[in-house]
Amino acid sequence: MIVAGADGCRTGWVVCRRDSDGALDVGVVKTLAEACEGLSVLAVDMPIGLVDEPRPGRACEREARALMPGKTSSVFPTPCRPALACATHAEANALSKALGVGLTRQTFHLFPKMREVDALMRGNETLRSIVYEAHPELAFARMNDGKPVLSKKRRPEGFGERLELLARHGFPWEPRSLPGAARDDVLDAMAVCRTALLIAQGTATRLGPAQERDRHGLPMNIWF
C-alpha cells in the first residue's frame, strides 16, 4: 500500500510518498496526475468539489473552521464554480460578489491549481476513489491532540513545532533544499500524507456529509 500527500508549490506539486514499510520519499512533480501514479490514496491540499454560489458555501469548510479556534483563517472560502472560469481577479471578484460574497486575491492566485484538480477529477472517475481533499492545519491539529498549532509555519518556532509533530507520528524529515518548493510546502505535503495513511487505514475523520456532491458529482468533503 503506497499513499501520498500533495501540496501546491511554485513549480508544480510537492509530493510526499509513503510505502508499505513506512519509507518516505519527498519530491516535486509538474502535474497532479503524475502524483497519482501507483497510489492507493492521495490526499491533496486543494479543494475538490465546488458550489455554484458562494453562500452558504461548503459544509465541510464551516465544520473545519469550528475545529480551528484561533486558526480559522487557514481555512479559506473556496470560490464558486462560475468564478473559477474567470481570467482576472477583477472579473472573478465582481462575479462572486454579485452572487453573494467577494473573492480575495490570495484565493484567485490558487485558481490554476484548482482548475488542474477540477479537470483531473472530472476527467477520470477512477481517481474519485483515490484522491481526497485534505487540510494540513487540520492534520497538524490532529497530531497535536486536537489543538490547532497557532504558531506560523514560516517562522522558525512554527516550522520546528510542526516538524516535531511529524516526527512523533512517524513522518521524520531532515530539512533540505528542494528545487521549486518552499520548506513549508514540504511540511504540508507530509502532513496530508499522514491523512492519506489514515484514510487508507479507515481511521481518518471526514467533514461534510458523506454524499454531498457538486453538480459534476465531485465530493465536497475535507479529511484529516
Side-chain angles (χ1 to χ4, degrees), residues 44-196:
V44 59
D45 177 21
M46 200 59 62
I48 298 173
L50 304 172
V51 292
D52 291 323
E53 296 183 357
R55 283 184 175 167
R58 305 190 308 165
C60 58
E61 291 171 29
R62 295 193 296 275
E63 292 177 20
R65 293 186 193 101
L67 294 173
M68 300 287 285
K71 200 78 175 179
T72 56
S73 62
S74 69
V75 185
F76 64 86
T78 297
C80 61
R81 184 170 290 283
L84 195 66
C86 297
T88 66
H89 173 255
E91 182 186 358
N93 183 45
L95 175 59
S96 185
K97 190 176 292 186
L99 291 173
V101 62
L103 189 79
T104 67
R105 287 189 179 275
Q106 181 182 13
T107 298
F108 178 75
H109 289 152
L110 295 174
F111 273 23
K113 290 288 192 295
M114 292 183 193
R115 292 186 188 115
E116 181 183 351
V117 172
D118 189 56
L120 184 66
M121 298 295 286
R122 287 169 57 185
N124 188 336
E125 288 195 19
T126 301
L127 291 181
R128 298 181 193 181
S129 63
I130 296 173
V131 182
Y132 294 76
E133 178 179 345
H135 193 291
E137 290 304 320
L138 281 170
F140 283 121
R142 178 163 180 160
M143 293 181 227
N144 195 39
D145 299 321
K147 300 186 293 292
V149 181
L150 299 180
S151 54
K152 296 184 181 299
K153 62 189 174 186
R154 293 187 179 181
R155 294 183 178 176
E157 63 276 14
F159 182 87
E161 188 173 356
R162 288 168 177 78
L163 197 65
E164 183 181 342
L165 285 170
L166 285 166
R168 193 188 309 164
H169 289 86
F171 286 79
W173 181 54
E174 188 66 38
R176 60 182 175 85
S177 176
L178 199 63
R183 295 196 316 169
D184 53 287
D185 295 332
V186 178
L187 288 186
D188 287 350
M190 296 184 75
V192 295
C193 184
R194 180 172 186 263
T195 297

